[in-house]
Amino acid sequence: WVDPRAGSITLAAYAAAWLARRSDLRPTTKAKYAYLLDRHVLPVLGNEPLSRLTPSAVRGWYLALRAVHPTTADDGYRLLRAIINTAVADEVLTVSPCKVKGAGQVRSAERPTASVAEVAGAIAAAPERFRAALALVAWCSLRRGEVLGLERGDVDLLHASVRIERAWSQPMGKAPVLGPPKTAAGVRRLAMPANLTPVVAEHLDRFVGPAPADWLFAVDGGPVNPSTLDRVWAGARRAIGREDLHLHDLRHSGLTWAATTGATVAELMRRGGHANPAAALRYQHATEDRDAAMAAALAGLAASAPVMELRPDDAGGTPSRPFPGLAGVDLATGEGPHTL
């Protein structure tokens, strides 16, 4: 039995209480949820009592929003569903009205990647004090906030490693805040590739103060605003003619390069600071490409191998014709002698 009076609270009032109780959310996530509610959910559904919120009303709201903003509609639907599910758990409602089939699914398009040459060109085109930041995003697969949260003490040139334990984030409409990385797995120590170490060493000598707590990337003594690094990248990508690349695509490119080295899912998870395998699995297409290249190399090895003649059998009979392997086989078409 559910007290019908409990469902008389409006969605706007319940959503406000729900968001206020979510002390587990990161500031950026909380700001995003508030934005979605204020701009897209509550103007249409907010005045409805929870008990009168019907599946048809939710469906109509979702389809209208999705016709204009597909990604925002799915984000808003997932948020609404989470709020309503809490209402069901709190026994404010007996059943959820969020029953739109296929709604709320993550439909992330495959992000573009940059070549090593393109990344090198973009870094060269960036202002000198920000070149190491872009290099760390690409070659250590760091998030924007993780790079900007680095201090001198986080860099170990002797062992060519960098420690990530804090990150700057910028909630919607608010000032940047410093906190832990996006996930618990984001706290990690990474080896720097040999090509990156001298870039970071030069940056330390030229642009960073001597104290361990001095910011690795600073402007006028203070940390760099995340939007500043976005503007730096916007100019760099224009210089190489790749305006389709977002700053986060540098990180994506770096993890794709790591996958081509034969890295396992667990290794990609650790390097990228991912908390679950789903994110790391996005880069397995690169491993599949590498596997195809290895298969082609194996075919070449077989084609160059000599044919071994078989000895007569113990009864003195004539041995079977030797299997020719891939001798005489056209590797492009697979046609050739395959009979024993």
Side-chain angles (χ1 to χ4, degrees), residues 15-35:
W18 180 89
L19 193 59
R21 291 196 302 262
R22 293 297 303 271
S23 58
D24 58 312
L25 297 176
R26 288 169 53 86
T28 50
T29 304
K30 204 164 191 175
K32 179 181 179 180
Y33 285 176
Y35 172 83

Side-chain angles (χ1 to χ4, degrees), residues 158-205:
L158 179 62
H159 299 96
S161 66
V162 59
R163 182 180 66 241
I164 299 94
E165 54 184 34
R166 72 193 71 80
W168 282 98
S169 57
Q170 189 163 16
M172 288 182 175
K174 298 183 179 181
V177 293
L178 185 66
K182 185 176 181 180
T183 65
V187 178
R188 60 205 189 278
R189 180 184 293 274
L190 298 175
M192 292 190 292
N195 62 303
L196 178 60
T197 306
V199 176
V200 175
E202 180 183 4
H203 178 83
L204 289 170
D205 290 340

Side-chain angles (χ1 to χ4, degrees), residues 129-338:
R129 67 169 49 250
F130 293 109
R131 290 175 180 175
L134 299 182
L136 281 162
V137 173
W139 290 104
C140 282
S141 302
L142 301 188
R143 300 177 176 94
R144 178 187 63 178
E146 293 173 347
V147 168
L148 297 181
L150 291 174
E151 300 174 350
R152 173 181 276 273
D154 296 323
V155 178
D156 184 351
L157 292 178
L158 179 62
H159 299 96
S161 66
V162 59
R163 182 180 66 241
I164 299 94
E165 54 184 34
R166 72 193 71 80
W168 282 98
S169 57
Q170 189 163 16
M172 288 182 175
K174 298 183 179 181
V177 293
L178 185 66
K182 185 176 181 180
T183 65
V187 178
R188 60 205 189 278
R189 180 184 293 274
L190 298 175
M192 292 190 292
N195 62 303
L196 178 60
T197 306
V199 176
V200 175
E202 180 183 4
H203 178 83
L204 289 170
D205 290 340
R206 296 181 59 190
F207 301 111
V208 185
D214 285 335
W215 296 112
L216 209 64
F217 302 98
V219 174
D220 299 327
V224 173
N225 191 293
S227 61
T228 299
L229 192 58
D230 287 338
R231 288 194 295 271
V232 168
W233 173 246
R237 70 185 182 185
R238 281 196 300 269
I240 62 170
R242 287 297 307 271
E243 296 198 44
D244 60 317
L245 292 172
H246 295 167
L247 179 60
H248 195 76
D249 294 329
L250 278 187
R251 165 178 157 87
H252 175 79
S253 298
L255 287 170
T256 300
W257 301 340
T260 63
T261 68
T264 65
V265 172
E267 290 167 340
L268 290 173
M269 286 177 62
R270 183 185 180 281
R271 192 152 188 89
H274 293 132
N276 61 76
L281 285 170
R282 299 171 188 166
Y283 305 99
Q284 289 309 292
H285 66 82
T287 305
E288 292 167 2
D289 292 342
R290 178 63 181 160
D291 187 61
M294 287 189 290
L298 289 171
L301 180 66
S304 63
V307 177
M308 182 178 179
E309 294 294 336
L310 301 181
R311 295 178 301 176
D313 58 28
D314 292 339
T318 303
S320 301
R321 292 178 58 197
F323 177 61
L326 288 178
V329 176
D330 186 332
L331 296 181
T333 64
E335 296 179 354
H338 290 283

